[in-house]
């Protein structure tokens, strides 16, 4: 599928590399509260489940689907994972050459992941194909567009730290990652190589459960000084400051800014706040009134923000691009932006005086 052979010579260097240890396939569906109330874990979060639990959830989905007028199917099965969403957005929507470092199984889900990412122009020469299962995730969306994630990763193939090579990183400008304690060896090795290659490093805090349960190693990672850019949502930011007298987003932003060159807290319908050195930006959300599904909103916000940084935009402008791209993915089901919603995004960017990709000039 997307596997490379040892010593394979790659083409043009990618600008952004996404580290996603396990390729993932999302099963996205709009469901009613009665299902969400019965599955284990907190509503709105992301908690790992066993394969039998995932299969049970997916079997229940069909009896709890909420109809969508504009969608042909109320369930979408697409290549997923936070990092895949971000790099696919950067490639398909912004025209940046991006690649994925990771592993996928030699099963139907692995082929689906490869086909979807390749179709969107993502470089998969660093994706190793292994014998075994590809990770899957049930993405359950309620009537208000809020999502509850139940990934199944336990039996999935994944990339090991020992498999990383310096050649994977050559020529790239950014490494984007998602925090996960069980991938710390891989994360630390990737960060070390990236810094040796002069790259900037971005991390997303993943989920409030991950921050709550593995806060100490996260703080150690931030305190290393190797994380240039950190994205957190409001719930993750609150967990980061658990036990402190002030846990509001502004306090979390100031905390992250002690360790990172750029810090961003996304606030859902309230937009975002960001800090770079002494500069602080507060930008309202875009497209919230038409939100169908919040799946991927933070991931696509990251796409727009990083596009802005790569192109030398100001902090305010990076945030504005991020709100446009984040808003674009909420207009339909799943973490992949549909063509008509890219067009919507370009028009929003033009209206705000933001530079759009050259290939999008004719919208």
């Amino acid at each position: 599928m997307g596997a490379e052979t040892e010593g394979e010579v790659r083409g043009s260097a990618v600008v952004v590399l996404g580290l996603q240890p396990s390729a993932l396939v999302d099963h996205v569906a709009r469901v009613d509260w009665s299902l969400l109330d019965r599955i284990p874990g907190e509503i709105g979060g992301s908690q790992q489940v066993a394969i039998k639990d995932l299969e049970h959830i997916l079997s229940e989905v069909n009896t709890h689907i909420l109809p969508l007028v504009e969608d042909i199917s109320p369930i979408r099965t697409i290549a997923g994972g936070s990092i895949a969403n971000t790099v696919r957005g950067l490639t398909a929507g912004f025209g940046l050459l991006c690649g994925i470092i990771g592993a996928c199984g030699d099963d139907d889900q692995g082929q689906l992941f490869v086909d979807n990412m390749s179709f969107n122009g993502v470089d998969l020469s660093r994706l190793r194909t292994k014998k075994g299962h590809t990770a899957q995730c049930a993405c359950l969306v309620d009537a208000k567009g809020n999502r509850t994630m139940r990934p199944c990763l336990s039996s999935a193939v994944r990339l090991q730290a020992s498999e990383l090579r310096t050649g994977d990183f050559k020529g790239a400008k950014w490494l984007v990652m998602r925090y996960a304690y069980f991938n710390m060896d891989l994360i630390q090795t990737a960060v070390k190589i990236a810094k040796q290659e002069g790259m900037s490093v971005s991390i997303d805090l993943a989920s409030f459960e991950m921050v709550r349960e593995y806060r100490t190693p996260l703080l150690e990672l931030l305190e290393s000084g190797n994380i240039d850019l950190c994205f957190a949502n409001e719930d993750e930011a609150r967990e980061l400051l658990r036990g402190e007298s002030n846990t509001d987003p502004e306090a979390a932003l100031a905390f992250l800014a002690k360790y990172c060159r750029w810090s961003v807290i996304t606030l859902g319908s309230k937009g975002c706040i960001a800090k770079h050195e002494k500069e602080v930006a507060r930008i309202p959300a875009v497209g919230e009134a038409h939100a169908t599904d919040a799946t991927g909103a933070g991931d696509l916000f990251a796409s727009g923000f990083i596009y802005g940084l790569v192109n030398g935009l100001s902090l305010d402008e990076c945030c504005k691009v991020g709100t446009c791209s984040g808003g674009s993915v909420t207009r339909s089901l799943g973490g992949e932006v549909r063509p008509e919603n890219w067009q919507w995004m370009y028009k929003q960017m033009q209206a705000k005086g933001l530079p759009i990709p050259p290939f999008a000039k004719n919208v």
Side-chain angles (χ1 to χ4, degrees):
M1 285 187 271
E4 70 170 312
T5 57
E6 192 73 34
E8 178 181 341
V9 178
R10 302 187 184 93
S12 301
V14 300
V15 178
V16 177
L17 273 177
L19 179 68
Q20 183 165 313
S22 297
L24 180 72
V25 169
D26 281 339
H27 305 280
V28 191
R30 294 242 303 176
V31 299
D32 61 44
W33 279 99
S34 62
L35 174 60
L36 295 175
D37 283 337
R38 294 208 316 272
I39 65 174
E42 295 180 55
I43 293 174
S46 177
Q47 181 173 310
Q48 288 198 42
V49 296
I51 185 64
K52 62 179 178 58
D53 296 318
L54 177 74
E55 290 171 348
H56 174 70
I57 291 169
L58 293 178
S59 70
E60 288 285 299
V61 160
N62 285 319
T63 61
H64 295 272
I65 285 173
L66 293 177
L68 275 177
V69 176
E70 297 178 359
D71 274 288
I72 297 171
S73 170
I75 302 178
R76 293 190 72 196
T77 300
I78 54 175
S82 176
I83 298 305
N85 291 341
T86 296
V87 299
R88 179 175 55 206
L90 277 164
T91 301
F94 292 103
L96 287 185
L97 184 56
C98 301
I100 284 267
I101 306 176
C104 70
D106 59 349
D107 54 5
D108 291 343
Q109 286 78 22
Q111 189 63 58
L112 187 153
F113 183 90
V114 168
D115 291 346
N116 179 264
M117 298 300 283
S118 297
F119 176 80
N120 283 282
V122 178
D123 183 332
L124 298 182
S125 62
R126 300 160 185 81
L127 183 69
R128 280 74 162 170
T129 300
K130 297 185 175 185
K131 187 173 181 60
H133 299 294
T134 301
Q136 300 181 68
C137 181
C139 306
L140 309 175
V141 184
D142 67 23
K144 294 183 179 180
N146 300 312
R147 88 286 185 277
T148 297
M149 317 288 273
R150 291 297 178 264
C152 177
L153 307 176
S154 57
S155 62
V157 302
R158 73 184 187 99
L159 190 69
Q160 305 295 326
S162 60
E163 296 176 281
L164 289 176
R165 299 196 296 273
T166 301
D168 291 329
F169 299 77
K170 288 288 185 185
K173 304 298 183 186
W174 278 91
L175 173 68
V176 297
M177 310 180 301
R178 180 176 171 88
Y179 178 60
Y181 174 72
F182 42 85
N183 290 327
M184 281 302 288
D185 285 349
L186 182 64
I187 288 172
Q188 290 169 342
T189 301
V191 169
K192 181 179 179 181
I193 298 174
K195 286 300 173 182
Q196 289 172 347
E197 293 300 312
M199 296 171 64
S200 296
V201 176
S202 166
I203 196 164
D204 179 276
L205 295 194
S207 70
F208 63 81
E209 295 100 331
M210 187 64 69
V211 178
R212 177 188 299 166
E213 295 172 24
Y214 304 106
R215 182 173 177 270
T216 298
L218 171 60
L219 293 179
E220 291 172 355
L221 182 62
L222 293 171
E223 290 166 0
S224 72
N226 288 325
I227 305 301
D228 299 281
L229 167 61
C230 183
F231 294 103
N233 65 28
E234 202 165 359
D235 293 333
E236 294 153 6
R238 189 177 300 112
E239 289 295 337
L240 192 64
L241 297 184
R242 177 176 283 271
E244 300 292 327
S245 58
N246 184 359
T247 61
D248 65 24
E250 289 78 9
L253 187 71
F255 178 84
L256 288 172
K258 293 191 294 185
Y259 308 110
C260 307
R261 294 176 64 196
W262 295 274
S263 305
V264 184
I265 310 290
T266 55
L267 304 172
S269 62
K270 299 187 292 290
C272 72
I273 54 175
K275 186 172 174 59
H276 172 55
E277 297 176 346
K278 294 183 178 181
E279 184 182 5
V280 176
R282 180 181 286 275
I283 304 298
V286 175
E288 181 67 22
H290 300 283
T292 294
D293 173 15
T295 304
D299 308 333
L300 269 294
F301 176 95
S303 300
F305 193 93
I306 291 170
Y307 167 80
L309 290 182
V310 168
N311 284 278
L313 302 188
S314 69
L315 183 65
D316 261 34
E317 290 171 325
C318 289
C319 290
K320 287 176 181 176
V321 178
T323 58
C324 290
S325 53
S328 70
V329 76
T330 67
R331 296 170 65 83
S332 62
L333 200 61
E336 179 180 18
V337 180
R338 295 186 176 182
E340 65 271 21
N341 292 329
W342 284 130
Q343 300 303 310
W344 175 89
M345 183 192 77
Y346 301 140
K347 290 175 181 176
Q348 295 293 320
M349 290 174 64
Q350 286 178 317
K352 297 177 186 300
L354 299 167
I356 64 173
F359 65 83
K361 295 292 186 184
N362 296 322
V363 300

